[in-house]
Amino acid sequence: MLINSAIFLHCILISTMFLQPKAQKQPQELDDLFSDSIAKAAPLFPQSSVSPLFPPLVPAFFIIGDSSVDCGNNNFLGTLARADRLPYGRDFDTHQPTGRFCNGRIPVDYLALRLGLPFVPSYLGQSGMVEDVIRGVNYASAGAGIIFSSGSELGQHISFTQQIEQVTDTFQQFILSLGEAAANDLISNSLFYISIGINDYIHYYLLNMSNVQNLYLPWNFNQFLATTVKQEIMNLYNANVRKVVVMGLAPIGCAPYYLWLYGSQNGECVKEINDMIMEFNFVMRYTLEELGEELPDANIIFCDVFQGSMDILKNYKSYGFNVTAEACCGLGRYRGWIICLSPEMACSNASNHIWWDQFHPTDAVNAILADNVWSSLHTEMCYPSNLQEMLAAKAR
């Protein structure tokens, strides 16, 4: 606990430049990319070899989550959890930071193009006009957790519950602008993607916030989190949402930060942390299976990111990686001690690394995981079906 506190204070001292929120408009070059991304989809898929899909498979794509899918909402918040400066985004299509916690694309960027849609813009980056969100919007906020206070030591963030409230506001906007029937049709045919929960471990359970470890065994804590997610999905269902992808949690016991913190000798993952994550994914999967049976016309799939990520880690050479434990950007052993703060801290080639920074994978890993969500291309990790099968079954 003393080590964690010291690291956190040190990060505050060297990261004060991130604290002041900037009212940023989305860069014009990114607007241009959104508008013509479908027309240029084939060249934008160096690793997936996919053709653009016309018309879109769903009318809109809505994203809820944390830094795994944040595309810029935290740019507008006073928080340490920001990715609005290089080297973040250096390998993105615009080669500029956008707020994505990656060197390039995040999984939902790849999935948006698979769906025949442009990259999904951030909720806080929009003007408030219905035209800005009619094809989808991204509510995700880095540092957010299922528990309201998870990640609060980093500064402002938009919690899971608050993101659901923002979704509800968007639905009200649709009803007022399109009429109730058209709005309900849009919502029921759109896809919702949820990727959240890792900060409830990183910034809550593993730090023993509020004495949580003495109050909840990991199994009880996992059940609490899964039940909360279930309730929010039921709330979305009651608002006419029918298509939902829920992502499991990644093996953070293999993340460079924990390899450094636990003194891993040869890059071995921290088993006690990964055991908690595997248990959460197990509970979440079967909670959602039961929910899918309870809700008529609901299409809910669960994608086990732990399973897909471990396949990459175990078979890294076949995927083209040669650096499995060390982050591309950071300082200290495994580059896991200090967060990624400047271009000088980054490696020259992120494509052969699995980890981009202390906690987040590289663009190359995100592309593989997105392929698995879409079609189980590399390994099966989604249940009861992958996204392509779910949409095809609904279309029949």
Side-chain angles (χ1 to χ4, degrees):
M1 193 63 169
L2 290 174
I3 292 176
N4 281 335
S5 299
I7 296 307
F8 176 65
L9 290 172
H10 187 50
C11 288
I12 290 178
L13 290 173
I14 65 177
S15 307
T16 51
M17 58 181 163
F18 291 107
L19 280 171
Q20 296 301 319
K22 299 182 290 183
Q24 300 175 350
K25 177 115 170 49
Q26 187 164 276
Q28 181 60 45
E29 60 267 28
L30 199 52
D31 284 334
D32 295 339
L33 181 64
F34 286 168
S35 64
D36 68 5
S37 60
I38 299 303
K40 298 180 180 179
L44 291 180
F45 271 85
Q47 301 179 33
S48 300
S49 184
V50 62
S51 299
L53 300 169
F54 298 100
L57 296 179
V58 293
F61 188 21
F62 298 93
I63 300 153
I64 297 164
D66 51 31
S67 60
S68 62
V69 286
D70 187 351
C71 70
N73 283 308
N74 274 32
N75 293 356
F76 301 88
L77 304 178
T79 176
L80 292 171
R82 296 167 72 101
D84 58 345
R85 288 170 172 80
L86 290 170
Y88 288 94
R90 71 176 195 186
D91 301 316
F92 188 65
D93 302 76
T94 60
H95 301 289
Q96 294 296 323
T98 62
R100 290 164 171 81
F101 284 75
C102 187
N103 61 303
R105 295 178 180 182
I106 50 179
V108 289
D109 294 328
Y110 288 102
L111 289 174
L113 295 182
R114 290 282 195 182
L115 294 167
L117 293 167
F119 293 167
V120 181
S122 65
Y123 178 77
L124 295 182
Q126 304 312 300
S127 66
M129 302 293 289
V130 71
E131 293 81 7
D132 293 334
V133 297
I134 196 70
R135 290 191 293 180
V137 66
N138 187 328
Y139 306 91
S141 174
I146 298 168
I147 297 170
F148 183 84
S149 60
S150 292
S152 59
E153 76 273 18
L154 299 175
Q156 293 179 319
H157 67 262
I158 309 165
S159 72
F160 185 40
T161 301
Q162 290 171 321
Q163 290 179 46
I164 299 296
E165 291 172 356
Q166 291 176 338
V167 172
T168 303
D169 290 342
T170 301
F171 290 175
Q172 290 296 320
Q173 190 177 7
F174 286 158
I175 292 171
L176 291 173
S177 300
L178 307 175
E180 188 169 359
N184 286 338
D185 185 66
L186 171 65
I187 295 164
S188 64
N189 286 293
S190 294
L191 179 67
F192 290 76
Y193 182 105
I194 300 172
S195 179
I196 201 164
I198 205 70
N199 290 314
D200 296 294
Y201 292 90
I202 296 173
H203 297 293
Y204 199 84
Y205 195 84
L206 292 174
L207 294 182
N208 198 25
M209 300 293 282
S210 304
N211 199 35
V212 65
Q213 293 179 14
N214 293 323
L215 298 174
Y216 288 92
L217 293 172
W219 175 259
N220 303 113
F221 186 68
N222 288 328
Q223 288 184 313
F224 169 76
L225 295 179
T227 300
T228 304
V229 173
K230 175 184 176 180
Q231 183 58 56
E232 293 296 1
I233 293 175
M234 291 176 66
N235 292 338
L236 290 173
Y237 179 86
N238 291 334
N240 222 36
V241 170
R242 293 295 181 268
K243 298 182 177 73
V244 183
V245 175
V246 179
M247 302 300 290
L249 304 184
I252 56 166
C254 304
Y257 174 77
Y258 287 113
L259 298 187
W260 165 79
L261 185 65
Y262 281 71
S264 175
Q265 293 304 307
N266 298 299
E268 296 95 346
C269 301
V270 181
K271 185 178 183 300
E272 63 189 88
I273 296 177
N274 277 353
D275 285 348
M276 292 183 208
I277 301 304
M278 282 194 294
E279 189 178 84
F280 170 85
N281 288 346
F282 176 85
V283 173
M284 194 74 256
R285 174 181 170 182
Y286 288 100
T287 297
L288 293 176
E289 281 190 9
E290 292 176 354
L291 182 60
E293 294 173 358
E294 294 173 15
L295 302 179
D297 299 326
N299 286 275
I300 305 170
I301 63 174
F302 172 79
C303 295
D304 193 334
V305 180
F306 186 100
Q307 185 177 336
S309 299
M310 291 307 294
D311 183 68
I312 297 171
L313 285 163
K314 291 175 182 177
N315 303 292
Y316 64 94
K317 289 183 179 178
S318 65
Y319 284 106
F321 300 108
N322 54 38
V323 184
T324 62
E326 184 177 277
C328 175
C329 190
L331 287 178
R333 192 174 189 191
Y334 303 111
R335 296 198 182 191
W337 177 38
I338 299 298
I339 59 177
C340 180
L341 293 171
S342 69
E344 292 74 26
M345 295 170 68
C347 66
S348 59
N349 179 19
S351 65
N352 60 12
H353 283 64
I354 287 177
W355 298 98
W356 164 246
D357 62 13
Q358 288 178 311
F359 296 108
H360 304 99
T362 57
D363 173 289
V365 171
N366 287 336
I368 295 166
L369 294 176
D371 279 339
N372 289 339
V373 173
W374 176 247
S375 64
S376 307
L377 180 63
H378 307 284
T379 188
E380 185 176 317
M381 57 178 256
C382 296
Y383 307 94
S385 68
N386 58 51
L387 179 55
Q388 187 177 40
E389 290 168 342
M390 185 250 270
L391 296 177
K394 189 64 177 177
R396 286 199 294 268

